[in-house]
Amino acid sequence: MRRAMSHLAMRLSLTIALVVFVTVLQAEVLKPPLGLDLHIPVPEANPLTREKILLGRRLFFDKKLSRDGSLSCASCHEPKHAFSDGRAVARGIHGAEGLRNTPALINRGYGSHFFLDGRASSLESQALEPILNPIELGLTQPELQQRTGLKATEVVAALATYVRTIRSGGSRFDRYSAGESRAVNQLEKEGMRIFRGKGRCNACHVGPNFTDEQFHNTGVAWRDGRFDDEGRFSVTRNPLDHGAFKTPTLREIARTAPYMHDGSIATLEQVINFYSDGGRQNPSLDAQIRPRNLTSEEQLALTAFLRTLTGRIQEGMR
Amino acid sequence: VFANRITFDLEIRDNLTGELQQLQAGSQQEGRTARAPVLSPDSSQVAYRWYTGSLAAEANNFRMSELRIASTKPGSKPRVLIPASPQNEYVQPAAWSRDGRLLARIWKNDGTVQIAWISVRDGSVSVLRSLWQRSPGRPTLSPDGKYIAYSALATESVRSINPAPEGNSHIYVLATNGGPETEVVGGNSSNEGPVWSADGNHILFSSNRKNGEFGLWSVPVREGKPGDPPELLKPGTGRLIPIGLTSSGSLYFANRQREGDEAFVIQFSEPDGKIYGPSSPLTENFVGTNRGVSWSPDGEFIAFKRERATKKGTFDVVVRNVASREERTYSTSLFEIGPEATNWFQDSKGLVQYDSAGTYYRLDLMSGEFRKIATGSSQLSYGTAAIPSPDNNVLYVTASDSAIKGLGFNRIVAFDLKAGLERSVFTSSEVFGTFALSPDGRTLAIMSANTGGGSKWINGRFLMQMGSPQPVRLSVVGIDGTGYRLLYGPFPILENPSSNALVWTRDGRSVLFGMSHPDRPLVTQVMRLSIQGGEPRYTGLDIRGPFHYVSLAPGNASIAFSETLQDRWRLSAVDNVFPSRKLP
């Protein structure tokens, strides 16, 4: 009887220890860099676990996920470019070029719409598409399962889990916001004032991740009297969405050139100049996009402020 | 602990001794004031938002709002935990955790509101959740400290892809370590102000999820997840702000009333003609406007009008049992019930109601039926006031003939309810505001105004705005039209005379009426005047707004009246909010 009790007690303490371990692990994993929310929305069906993070990371960098074994997810979402690729438009297998710029994959765990046109509503629904796209990684679903030895749903769950861990924060802006007054200089503070004031940049670039997760027509896609990419309209068929694209995060913006949905603007200075002039006139131009007439000094200050958003990227278990 | 809205000071009140202590002095002139104080669990400290002055804020182009901590010991100096910053509009504390952290909301200057933990030791911030354009309400901590409940707009209020109907707010439960968040109350409705039950198994909240009318609701919650669907605990509460639930199951809550009338009861002594306060609200149900009070002849009931929460300007008749406090609400599809007072038949079983088209009804309180009792002739327009005679055979109403139609009421007409005939009792060169029948049913007291001079009537109403004193007179006349006698006047009143009350004392020797306060604008002094004439005497009662709809209890022990409110808070408690459940 006593032996049975002792065995029961041991099992109980092992269970408690395991529960405590898992809880502590989750708390460590979830701990964000300075400036981001503790809470990351995680679907109930795909909880964040150490195993999935490690598996997802391995898959993310695995070139087996491309038809010719030449590319992985990380080929376009390179850590050194804040998980973008430095190209105007994405390049897939056999050198095939896509139509849009590779978005930086940082802080996507906080997002609510995925892809530049928002056609996916979760990281899970987004994860498989580039792998199966013939001009990106070009696999079929059976090939994916054969090469990884995993079901497609397991690949999706692991990749989505890993992408949730890719976070950028702890920038000089975040340190300044936390009370470190010398973290930004006078020019950068002036840029911050323009960002919120005359520039009205925060009409769209709001919150800890500097995006409203909404879709706006800035006129970039309007060329020769027509939209060369319909953007959000191709998903919603809503006439208000012609040529509209999702607001990107501004975190790590200095490391993610070239800019805009098609990578058509090479430098931050040119982007600021584009918006200062009121974007490109077209029938669906967003009401927030209008000439701000920033002086060259103001544009310089704004650029300086945007560079303070370069921070430290955490990913995986690190 | 509270921020005094009059002195602008931060004060603490000992509920046992009633002693008040100033923790920090404010200044209206300099714009220095405390907001949203929250007491620590051991009552040793208070966290609060401190607005340091509007002038300084304007000069620096941002809000000068700090988060401060003060000891509750007398004479101690407050500590600035988070200084004013161009990054934040302000930081507002919501709750203390047991381990000495503050749960707070941070309003960022880009419209984002963050729910965050703040270290009381060094002011470091750990943001739990950022919500943009979703106006999260005050978060509350579960008793075990593991979860936070808060309400927020279901979607962003602007430029949302799938915008929720305006005002739709839902209730969310978020793990305090930043873990999972769950929507525990959704739907196409406003769900607000969540508070936890003492055992942490339920969240109480205010909601208009049933028929658009606000009530108190509860949803069971286990490990941050909702159980059964929400359950209505108390209907018709109005839009309330739950403050907290005691371990014995009493819910404390506040209502804010920006405008409208509220009904009160106050003691009245007939021998000396004086009012003895304080007044107390007539009813626990506070939905917006309660007015038009009328005591039943047997003294057992009070009838009044309650504005519907779902349709402004539409009223229901409510009859309250004075002893049991039970209320029954009456409405009809025959016509829209107006806000005016309703008068009792002498049997205390029915009320008179006017339909604005010249027809009078008897509301039978047992059956709830509205039965037509009299219809006016096409030559006359009729007023809303209708008073049954003591034998219930005659209905006295005000009327205007075609010559004066549109200028006001200059006649009193008696309907013989049995014979179905009407006869003119009295016609005046002045217009009548209100009138009252003496307890013996033989004399009418009348409040009237001259149509000439400064007073101009259009469609039965003075053109002058509320707040402009209106000169009126008081007089009496027999029900046979003889014995007219001026009692007092002219004297000023607030607003239209037709919405000012005139009440006989039960001994038939005096009338009570309102007169504009000589010094305080928008305030009425309640006066008592002997039926023999002479100068009126002040009863000691001042009310805000006109002397609306007043009624004396049989025996003259109490007066029920309604008062015009302007931005008023009411603190209430409901005991045993879970009557069907055993509380720990």
Side-chain angles (χ1 to χ4, degrees):
Chain A
M1 179 69 174
R2 184 184 289 175
R3 196 170 165 185
M5 288 291 285
S6 164
H7 181 67
L8 186 66
M10 185 180 284
R11 283 187 64 181
L12 193 63
S13 30
L14 275 173
T15 309
I16 292 169
L18 188 63
V19 169
V20 169
F21 174 73
V22 170
T23 308
V24 169
L25 175 67
Q26 285 211 6
E28 279 178 2
V29 168
L30 290 169
K31 191 177 177 187
L34 184 66
L36 300 187
D37 290 4
L38 259 174
H39 171 74
I40 297 183
V42 177
E44 216 166 322
N46 188 24
L48 214 62
T49 66
R50 173 193 286 265
E51 291 72 24
K52 273 189 282 183
I53 292 168
L54 294 175
L55 175 62
R57 188 173 196 278
R58 188 167 60 74
L59 292 168
F60 191 85
F61 289 92
D62 192 341
K63 292 184 176 176
K64 278 203 309 260
L65 264 63
S66 62
R67 170 165 287 279
D68 61 2
S70 64
L71 300 172
S72 68
C73 306
S75 302
C76 291
H77 298 289
E78 295 178 64
K80 69 176 180 185
H81 289 296
F83 288 80
S84 64
D85 61 3
R87 299 175 186 277
V89 291
R91 184 175 291 177
I93 53 171
H94 310 307
E97 286 201 333
L99 296 172
R100 293 175 183 167
N101 183 249
T102 302
L105 273 193
I106 51 170
N107 300 339
R108 291 316 301 147
Y110 299 101
S112 53
H113 303 95
F114 303 87
F115 294 117
L116 284 161
D117 55 16
R119 64 183 181 275
S121 59
S122 68
L123 282 173
E124 280 73 11
S125 59
Q126 176 271 338
L128 216 51
E129 202 172 310
I131 300 171
L132 304 183
N133 188 331
I135 62 162
E136 293 189 51
L137 300 187
L139 283 189
T140 63
Q141 203 156 308
E143 284 171 339
L144 175 66
Q145 295 185 175
Q146 189 192 12
R147 289 188 185 197
T148 60
L150 298 165
K151 292 177 190 167
T153 51
E154 292 169 329
V155 173
V156 163
L159 281 173
T161 300
Y162 170 65
V163 172
R164 275 193 186 97
T165 69
I166 304 172
R167 284 163 298 167
S168 167
S171 65
R172 289 195 292 118
F173 164 78
D174 294 308
R175 284 160 42 207
Y176 175 71
S177 289
E180 196 183 320
S181 58
R182 291 184 180 173
V184 297
N185 64 32
Q186 205 50 47
L187 180 68
E188 291 158 346
K189 284 180 190 170
E190 176 63 11
M192 199 183 307
R193 201 180 59 75
I194 294 160
F195 184 86
R196 292 169 181 153
K198 186 177 175 183
R200 289 290 292 131
C201 311
N202 67 350
C204 302
H205 294 285
V206 294
N209 207 24
F210 291 87
T211 168
D212 59 2
E213 289 283 323
Q214 305 293 311
F215 301 85
H216 305 278
N217 174 321
T218 63
V220 174
W222 182 256
R223 288 195 177 88
D224 304 323
R226 56 180 281 274
F227 293 107
D228 62 6
D229 187 339
E230 285 284 6
R232 182 67 176 160
F233 175 79
S234 60
V235 178
T236 64
R237 297 286 154 190
N238 181 342
L240 297 173
D241 288 336
H242 279 296
F245 294 88
K246 191 178 66 184
T247 308
T249 179
L250 293 184
R251 287 192 178 273
E252 305 291 346
I253 193 70
R255 296 165 67 184
T256 60
Y259 303 102
M260 306 307 196
H261 74 274
D262 56 359
S264 59
I265 302 185
T267 66
L268 262 184
E269 289 78 2
Q270 289 168 328
V271 173
I272 290 169
N273 195 50
F274 174 81
Y275 284 124
S276 176
D277 289 348
R280 191 174 295 143
Q281 287 300 313
N282 71 84
S284 302
L285 187 67
D286 193 285
Q288 294 292 342
I289 308 295
R290 49 177 178 264
R292 303 292 173 184
N293 303 317
L294 301 180
T295 65
S296 55
E297 289 80 10
E298 287 168 334
Q299 294 192 28
L300 188 70
L302 194 49
T303 310
F305 164 65
L306 293 177
R307 293 188 192 283
T308 69
L309 301 177
T310 301
R312 189 166 57 85
I313 297 180
Q314 289 179 200
E315 50 87 27
M317 298 301 294
R318 286 177 287 182
Chain B
V1 64
F2 62 97
N4 189 319
R5 287 293 188 90
I6 297 168
T7 64
F8 284 69
D9 297 341
L10 178 67
E11 295 176 12
I12 188 165
R13 181 180 188 273
D14 187 321
N15 282 336
L16 289 178
T17 64
E19 189 187 336
L20 271 178
Q21 178 198 323
Q22 185 199 74
L23 294 176
Q24 176 149 20
S27 161
Q28 181 178 15
Q29 204 172 9
E30 296 169 25
R32 289 187 283 111
T33 180
R35 288 273 193 279
V38 185
L39 201 57
S40 65
D42 64 359
S43 301
S44 66
Q45 298 181 89
V46 180
Y48 58 99
R49 177 156 72 91
W50 179 251
Y51 191 49
T52 60
S54 54
L55 294 176
E58 283 164 20
N60 288 284
N61 199 26
F62 61 88
R63 295 273 187 96
M64 294 290 283
S65 196
E66 301 171 339
L67 178 65
R68 289 186 169 197
I69 302 276
S71 166
T72 53
K73 286 181 187 165
S76 54
K77 201 178 168 190
R79 173 165 65 98
V80 177
L81 193 60
I82 296 186
S85 150
Q87 306 294 316
N88 303 328
E89 289 273 324
Y90 52 86
V91 181
Q92 186 149 303
W96 291 71
S97 72
R98 287 182 193 151
D99 61 359
R101 289 181 298 166
L102 276 172
L103 182 64
R105 278 176 296 170
I106 303 172
W107 274 259
K108 308 297 285 186
N109 54 17
D110 64 1
T112 304
V113 181
Q114 299 180 319
I115 298 171
W117 285 114
I118 295 169
S119 163
V120 174
R121 190 171 51 83
D122 60 10
S124 60
V125 175
S126 176
V127 177
L128 269 170
R129 186 83 165 94
S130 298
L131 297 149
W132 179 68
Q133 298 280 359
R134 287 181 57 195
S135 307
R138 185 171 69 105
T140 52
L141 260 180
S142 65
D144 63 7
K146 286 167 66 179
Y147 297 100
I148 290 162
Y150 69 94
S151 64
L153 293 175
T155 57
E156 290 88 357
S157 59
V158 294
R159 295 207 313 258
S160 176
I161 292 172
N162 299 301
E166 194 180 345
N168 266 10
S169 54
H170 295 174
I171 292 176
Y172 304 86
V173 169
L174 172 65
T176 49
N177 67 355
E181 181 183 74
T182 306
E183 182 185 281
V184 295
V185 179
N188 188 13
S189 52
S190 288
N191 305 280
E192 313 164 335
V195 290
W196 296 83
S197 62
D199 61 6
N201 290 335
H202 290 85
I203 290 173
L204 275 72
F205 60 100
S206 174
S207 175
N208 65 352
R209 54 194 302 109
K210 188 178 179 185
N211 305 328
E213 189 185 17
F214 274 95
L216 179 66
W217 289 72
S218 164
V219 64
V221 177
R222 296 272 181 192
E223 296 300 321
K225 301 271 189 299
D228 295 332
E231 176 191 4
L232 179 61
L233 295 180
K234 188 172 171 55
T237 56
R239 197 166 198 163
L240 56 85
I241 301 166
I243 293 169
L245 192 63
T246 66
S247 55
S248 59
S250 294
L251 175 75
Y252 284 79
F253 64 92
N255 293 98
R256 186 176 194 178
Q257 175 80 358
R258 291 188 190 276
E259 57 178 3
D261 289 6
E262 174 62 319
F264 297 90
V265 175
I266 196 164
Q267 296 296 305
F268 175 68
S269 164
E270 173 60 16
D272 60 6
K274 291 283 186 186
I275 298 288
Y276 293 92
S279 60
S280 55
L282 168 66
T283 170
E284 298 79 21
N285 294 321
F286 186 86
V287 293
T289 280
N290 295 318
R291 64 190 297 183
V293 286
S294 179
W295 226 294
S296 68
D298 63 9
E300 289 186 19
F301 303 96
I302 299 177
F304 60 96
K305 296 288 185 66
R306 174 174 289 151
E307 190 172 34
R308 282 189 199 163
T310 51
K311 195 174 179 188
K312 217 168 166 55
T314 301
F315 290 78
D316 294 320
V317 178
V318 180
V319 176
R320 180 182 173 86
N321 185 312
V322 176
S324 71
R325 298 180 178 183
E326 283 175 52
E327 290 179 358
R328 184 173 169 187
T329 302
Y330 299 88
S331 56
T332 178
S333 57
L334 297 173
F335 56 91
E336 283 207 350
I337 297 174
E340 66 282 348
T342 177
N343 287 307
W344 288 84
F345 284 93
Q346 202 60 35
D347 57 9
S348 296
K349 291 177 180 171
L351 292 160
V352 188
Q353 184 58 50
Y354 175 72
D355 75 353
S356 81
T359 302
Y360 296 90
Y361 297 80
R362 177 184 163 114
L363 164 60
D364 184 273
L365 299 182
M366 285 294 286
S367 67
E369 281 182 68
F370 285 76
R371 182 168 54 83
K372 205 179 280 187
I373 53 173
T375 304
S377 66
S378 55
Q379 284 78 38
L380 298 174
S381 297
Y382 293 89
T384 56
I387 305 172
S389 62
D391 60 7
N392 290 338
N393 289 333
V394 177
L395 198 62
Y396 295 98
V397 300
T398 51
S400 61
D401 54 35
S402 52
I404 197 169
K405 199 168 179 177
L407 291 176
F409 304 110
N410 66 329
R411 283 184 184 212
I412 291 178
V413 171
F415 281 106
D416 186 323
L417 295 175
K418 283 188 172 170
L421 300 172
E422 72 177 29
R423 81 179 156 84
S424 181
V425 175
F426 178 68
T427 304
S428 171
S429 59
E430 296 191 323
V431 291
F432 301 143
T434 186
F435 74 106
L437 185 64
S438 62
D440 63 8
R442 294 169 60 186
T443 310
L444 294 162
I446 301 165
M447 182 183 285
S448 61
N450 195 314
T451 53
S455 300
K456 190 177 180 186
W457 292 78
I458 297 291
N459 294 327
R461 287 187 176 277
F462 273 113
L463 267 184
M464 297 172 84
Q465 296 292 309
M466 178 174 169
S468 304
Q470 312 289 328
V472 293
R473 303 168 198 258
L474 290 182
S475 51
V476 288
V477 66
I479 58 167
D480 57 1
T482 63
Y484 174 83
R485 182 159 54 89
L486 179 68
L487 281 183
Y488 182 66
F491 62 93
I493 58 168
L494 292 177
E495 221 185 39
N496 187 329
S498 62
S499 60
N500 274 260
L502 187 59
V503 185
W504 287 82
T505 55
R506 298 279 173 172
D507 61 8
R509 291 180 181 172
S510 312
V511 288
L512 299 177
F513 66 97
M515 184 189 287
S516 284
H517 196 288
D519 306 318
R520 297 168 61 194
L522 301 179
V523 171
T524 294
Q525 286 186 316
V526 179
M527 312 296 286
R528 177 173 178 254
L529 178 66
S530 167
I531 210 67
Q532 301 304 319
E535 283 299 309
R537 290 191 298 171
Y538 177 47
T539 62
L541 177 63
D542 288 345
I543 59 174
R544 279 160 287 191
F547 191 48
H548 273 157
Y549 314 125
V550 178
S551 181
L552 262 177
N556 295 328
S558 302
I559 292 179
F561 64 97
S562 55
E563 190 172 21
T564 304
L565 307 176
Q566 282 173 345
D567 203 10
R568 185 185 175 106
W569 287 88
R570 178 169 168 175
L571 179 64
S572 313
V574 182
D575 295 331
N576 196 19
V577 287
F578 293 119
S580 59
R581 296 194 192 93
K582 192 178 174 184
L583 290 164

